[in-house]
Amino acid sequence: MAGIHLHPHDILDEGMPAILQRLDGMKHVEHLFVEINTIFERNPYPVGDLPHNPIHNMVMGTGTLHINTHTDFPHLSQRVDPTILAGADPLMTIKKATDGGKYKVIPWANILNGDFIGNVENNQVVDFKGRPQAHWLCPNAPDVAQLWQKTFTALKQNYGYDTFLIDRIRFPDWAGKEVNPAGLFTCFCPHCEKKMVQQGLPINEIKHRLVALADSLKQGDFETPVSALKEEPLLKAWQAFRQQSVTQLVEKLLSDAKQTAGGITLWLDLWPPAYSWILGQNYHELTRYSSTLKHFPYHKLGGGADVQGLINHFAHNSESQEHAFTAFKRLFELPYDISYETFKQQGFPIHFVAEQNNKVRQLSQPNTFIYSGIQMWNLPATQLIEAVIAAEESACDDLLYYCYGWATQELFDAIGEHNTPNNNTYNNNTIKE
C-alpha cells in the first residue's frame, strides 16, 4: 500500500505507459498521489535536472490549478494553468490509465499556498508588522473553505474521486524564493485578530513581544527567542490559537463538503513533529478528522526544513552559525551532537527517521494510518535504502516516496531490489557502509 507523489508535468511529458512501467518495477507502490495544483517550487529542488523527462530539464511550479472544475468561484479562486486552458488534463489522463487496475489515485491538493485570484486581500496572511505574505491564504479567512468545498465537489463530480491528500494546511514557514522568517510570526489579518479578541488574547502584547524577539535575532541573540517560544505562556497561547485555526479549517472543509458532495475523505500531509507545532499543526487534534496522514522525516534534508537558509539568514560567520544551529536544535528538540558543518555535509543522523515516526504515533489518535515520507532524490541508492529500512523498523504503517519525477532510475531499481523476496543486495550494501 506504499505510495508515490507525481506532478502534472510527469504525466504530460512522460506519458502513462512509461510511468506505469517504472512504478511496476518498484513492486510495492499502490497509491499514486497526483498533484492538482502546484506550488512555487523548482522541479527538481533545489538544483539538477529531471532525470527521465523527455521534454523538460526542469520545471518551475507557478502555483496554478491543473484540473478542470467547470465551477463558478464568486470570491476567490486559483489561477488555471495554461496547459489546462490548452486542453490538457493530467488527472483525467492518469484516471483513464489506472481505473480498474491495481493503482489507486489520490488527488493531492495544496490548500493555502498558490497563485490565487479574486478577493485575495481579504483572505491573505499578514505578519506581525502588517505585511501581507505573498501567495498564502489564512485558515481563518472567509472564502478559503468555500474555495475548497467547490473544488472538492468538482473533483468528485468530474473525476469520481472522493479521497484527497491535503498539503500546505499550515501557516507559512521561512522558506521560499527568498528566506523570510517573518512568515513564522503570522497571522494578524482582521479575521485572526477578531478571533483572538474573542478568545481574550492580547494582540498588541503579542505583536510587541514578537518585534522584540525579531530584534534579538537580528542582533545575534538566538537563545532569548528560543526560550520565549518554548516557555512563555503568552506565546504558547498564541501558538495554540494558530493550531486551533488550522484544525478548524480541516473540520470545516469536511462539514461543508458533506453538504454539497455527499461527503469526502481527507488525508493529511504534515510537517514532522519537530516543526509542525510552530506552523500551526497539531497531530492530536487534526487526526480527530483524518485517519490517514503522511509526514516527511527526510533526515538528509533536515526534516524538510530549509535549515541552512534560516541559519545563514541570521548568522554570517562560522562561529555565529554554530551558535544559531545550537539554538535551532534546542527550539525543535533535536538532541544531536553534531556541528553545523557536519549537518551541511550529512544532514541529521539516520535515527531522526524512526524518532519522528514514533513521535507521530504517540501524538496521533489511536489507529491513525501513518505514511513515512521517503526522500527519493539527490542521494545514492544505499542511503535511500537506509532510510527505507529505518522507516520500516519504526512505528509508521507504510512509505510514501517523494517523488516520481525527481528520482533517477537507479533509485527505482534499488526499491525494486529491496522489495524482491530473498534479495538483500541493497540491504547488505547499506549495512556494510
Side-chain angles (χ1 to χ4, degrees):
M1 192 175 168
I4 192 166
H5 287 275
L6 293 101
H7 295 93
H9 59 261
D10 298 327
I11 300 165
L12 297 181
D13 293 353
E14 296 191 35
M16 288 310 302
I19 290 173
L20 294 178
Q21 182 178 14
R22 194 167 276 116
L23 296 179
D24 287 345
M26 296 178 74
K27 294 185 168 62
H28 77 146
V29 166
E30 295 182 9
H31 284 85
L32 309 183
F33 293 82
V34 180
E35 190 177 41
I36 66 161
N37 60 334
T38 59
I39 57 174
F40 300 92
E41 177 178 66
R42 186 188 190 278
N43 295 266
Y45 176 86
V47 295
D49 294 334
L50 296 169
H52 39 82
N53 188 305
I55 297 177
H56 296 102
N57 290 331
M58 61 83 68
V59 173
M60 184 63 68
T62 54
T64 50
L65 188 67
H66 288 256
I67 58 170
N68 285 300
T69 60
H70 307 297
T71 301
D72 176 50
F73 295 89
H75 304 298
L76 185 70
S77 64
Q78 187 159 16
R79 195 177 305 279
V80 178
D81 194 79
T83 59
I84 299 295
L85 298 176
D89 193 339
L91 186 60
M92 185 59 71
T93 297
I94 198 169
K95 174 182 172 60
K96 290 179 179 178
T98 56
D99 272 0
K102 67 178 181 180
Y103 292 110
K104 178 178 175 60
V105 171
I106 308 293
W108 157 38
N110 295 293
I111 300 298
L112 294 173
N113 183 212
D115 186 5
F116 300 103
I117 54 178
N119 195 357
V120 174
E121 185 176 354
N122 194 39
N123 290 275
Q124 65 192 350
V125 168
V126 177
D127 76 5
F128 66 126
K129 292 186 177 180
R131 298 169 297 196
Q133 301 298 289
H135 305 303
W136 279 94
L137 300 178
C138 175
N140 288 316
D143 301 316
V144 172
Q146 183 189 59
L147 163 65
W148 286 104
Q149 170 256 316
K150 284 180 168 288
T151 302
F152 291 140
T153 300
L155 278 164
K156 187 171 181 178
Q157 292 174 346
N158 299 337
Y159 297 90
Y161 298 121
D162 60 7
T163 298
F164 311 104
L165 180 73
I166 55 172
D167 198 352
R168 300 269 162 150
I169 42 167
R170 57 176 175 85
F171 291 94
D173 64 318
W174 59 85
K177 293 180 180 179
E178 297 178 352
V179 175
N180 178 28
L184 293 174
F185 289 177
T186 57
C187 174
F188 294 91
C189 71
H191 314 293
C192 281
E193 291 193 349
K194 180 179 178 180
K195 291 184 75 171
M196 282 191 255
V197 169
Q198 292 171 347
Q199 296 185 22
L201 289 173
I203 297 171
N204 289 333
E205 190 177 340
I206 294 170
K207 287 182 179 178
H208 290 321
R209 189 66 184 120
L210 294 177
V211 168
L213 297 183
D215 289 341
S216 295
L217 289 168
K218 291 178 182 177
Q219 296 165 12
D221 174 7
F222 308 120
E223 292 300 328
T224 297
V226 168
S227 296
L229 290 168
K230 288 177 67 69
E231 300 169 7
E232 291 185 7
L234 176 67
L235 296 183
K236 290 176 76 68
W238 171 65
Q239 292 162 16
F241 169 80
R242 283 159 50 93
Q243 294 170 10
Q244 179 190 75
S245 299
V246 171
T247 300
Q248 287 177 342
L249 174 61
V250 174
E251 181 184 15
K252 184 168 178 54
L253 291 176
L254 285 167
S255 62
D256 287 359
K258 186 175 182 179
Q259 296 176 12
T260 58
I264 60 172
T265 299
L266 297 180
W267 295 359
L268 308 171
D269 194 329
L270 305 177
W271 277 53
Y275 307 114
S276 57
W277 60 275
I278 205 169
L279 301 175
Q281 294 177 335
N282 182 319
Y283 276 81
H284 184 73
E285 295 304 311
L286 285 168
T287 51
R288 295 183 187 278
Y289 304 100
S290 174
S291 61
T292 300
L293 67 85
K294 168 241 178 174
H295 76 123
F296 40 90
Y298 306 151
H299 70 291
K300 301 292 292 183
L301 295 175
D306 183 9
V307 180
Q308 293 185 50
L310 188 64
I311 298 299
N312 296 345
H313 181 83
F314 290 112
H316 309 296
N317 60 62
S318 58
E319 183 179 1
S320 62
Q321 287 170 354
E322 290 294 346
H323 289 314
F325 185 59
T326 298
F328 181 94
K329 290 188 293 180
R330 185 166 79 90
L331 176 62
F332 296 114
E333 298 183 2
L334 302 165
Y336 306 127
D337 186 19
I338 57 172
S339 68
Y340 184 51
E341 286 301 315
T342 299
F343 170 80
K344 288 193 292 183
Q345 297 298 319
Q346 302 176 10
F348 291 137
I350 185 63
H351 48 267
F352 174 84
V353 176
E355 288 170 357
Q356 293 297 301
N357 280 333
N358 296 344
K359 188 168 289 188
V360 171
R361 177 62 67 199
Q362 295 166 4
L363 294 172
S364 302
Q365 296 291 329
N367 302 316
T368 299
F369 191 96
I370 298 168
Y371 280 108
S372 177
I374 298 293
Q375 176 190 347
M376 197 177 169
W377 87 99
N378 200 24
L379 80 176
T382 51
Q383 292 183 4
L384 168 63
I385 299 304
E386 183 184 36
V388 166
I389 293 172
E392 289 174 340
E393 294 177 349
S394 73
C396 75
D397 294 291
D398 220 320
L399 313 180
L400 208 172
Y401 298 97
Y402 194 93
C403 60
Y404 170 84
W406 303 3
T408 62
Q409 187 60 48
E410 177 192 19
L411 300 183
F412 285 100
D413 293 341
I415 296 298
E417 291 276 358
H418 178 72
N419 291 307
T420 299
N422 303 318
N423 189 335
N424 293 314
T425 302
Y426 283 91
N427 300 26
N428 292 336
N429 287 344
T430 301
I431 292 169
K432 289 176 183 177
E433 288 204 352

